[in-house]
Amino acid sequence: MADEKAVLSIRGKNIEFPVHEGTEGDVAIDISKLYPDHRLMTFDPSLASTAICKSTVTYIDGEKGILRYRGIPIEQFVTDKPSFIEVAYLLLTGALPTLDEREYFRRQLTENELLPEPMRLYFNNVPTTAPPMALLSAAVNNLACFHPEFLELDNDDDFMEISARLISKIRTIAAYIYRRTHCLPFMYPNPNLRYAANFLHMMFSLPYSHYEVAPEIEDALNLVLILHADHEQNCSAATVRVVASSRANLFASCAAGICALWGSLHGGANVEVMRMLAQIHEGGLSPEECIRMAKDKTNPFRLYGFGHRIYKNYDPRAKILHAACERVFAILKNQNDPLLNIARKLEELALSDSYFVERKLYPNVDFYSGLLLRAMGIPTNMFTVMFAMGRLPGWIAQWKEQHDSGGRIIRPRQVYEGNTLSDYVPMGQR
Ligand code: SDX
């Protein structure tokens, strides 16, 4: 395969292109010389058939419903229950940490869990009605003001230091966003708690009463964060790469990723799923009407939490999250939670409906994640913030690959369909 060629015949010319093959058999035609040498372009507006990079971080097989972080199937993170920071370390470095490496990384996170005090005070001056994702992207970008020494990263030690700081601080920022939007006093992090438990402490403890984190809730949040940690070139990760390709710093690139994740077709879908389930529960909509609306091309409504650009099979994360929902709701003695029952009914209706079956539309990561977060007491408007908290290590790993590749700035072309040559018309003649 090394010297395999692809040939394009167009307008009497045969043009040859190199072919790349990935370690799992992905085949890509290298058209990077098409415009420079032939003044021709390809057209792929959603980049569905376009690889924007080579990567070693995450592998997805959409037909088989496979997801692996650095080659490790995500199902193994369910059975072996590593901590989220261990999986973050794996994504950042490409290797699972030794005990010493993990404890050193854990110390870096603990030593950096506080926000700079001026940033904490910043939260006092934002509206309590502020959209959490607006506050999150602003705060992550704002960290650049307090860590100017990390605007340029030219060695791995600095990279791991700032990665630890960001992963630790996004947790504090997320908790402060919740506290501010709920008019609650801020709770400082507790250095004796693990990552997920410390977050839940900052979310739900009060000055006069410590929130005791139930082990099954801590495990469930740890799992939710792991399952969201990376997903190859999704919209937000590709955004991070585009921004990184201009040589922008890590803070700016991750803040851009947060903004891309906010959209309802991407990370914002977990909020829309809960809205959809609540609307059905409050009687505004029946599951059957939901399915009908989702199939109606004249209706912009979509069955949120269903469908995926890559998975044409069950999203492996959705399978794990559904099982986790059943487990946690059983522990909470709430197996007949009305919204969980509606989700089960919607899945049953969709998976037996030819519209969804023919289009290979299955539940994706967002379909059950919200139910699990809600069971932890996390409000709907914080769901996409939770997605971002989980995804941050993946964005940072993708940023590192782009940064280290020394690649050219990502600057796509277009097919121009506007006016041909025209003259300026002075105001008096219009
Ligand atoms: C995430 O890319 C990633 O990896 C993302 C993510 C990650 O971890 O980063 O996995 C996280 O974003 C998951 C997806 C969350 N979004 C939603 O749940 C929103 C609802 N789903 C869709 O909008 C849609 O399925 C997308 C956005 C997820 C995928 O969009 P595509 O690949 O552009 O698919 P499409 O819109 O071209 O759909 C193909 C067909 C169309 O019908 P036809 O034109 O063939 O008649 O399927 C239909 C679509 O109308 N369709 C749906 C649908 N999803 C697709 N119809 C109704 N409800 C849906 N949810």
Side-chain angles (χ1 to χ4, degrees), residues 231 265-266 297 302-303 305-306 308-309 317 355 391:
H231 213 237
L265 293 187
H266 191 15
K297 289 300 171 200
R302 293 213 142 179
L303 188 62
F306 259 75
H308 200 276
R309 173 63 56 79
R317 301 166 298 175
Y355 173 92
R391 183 54 53 90

Side-chain angles (χ1 to χ4, degrees), residues 13 89 102 110 117 196 225 232 288 315 317 325-326 332 383 392:
K13 276 204 300 187
Y89 187 98
R102 188 189 68 185
T110 301
E117 199 61 5
L225 294 172
E232 58 130 285
E288 291 73 13
D315 183 332
R317 301 166 298 175
C325 268
E326 299 294 348
L332 298 174
F383 287 178
L392 184 61

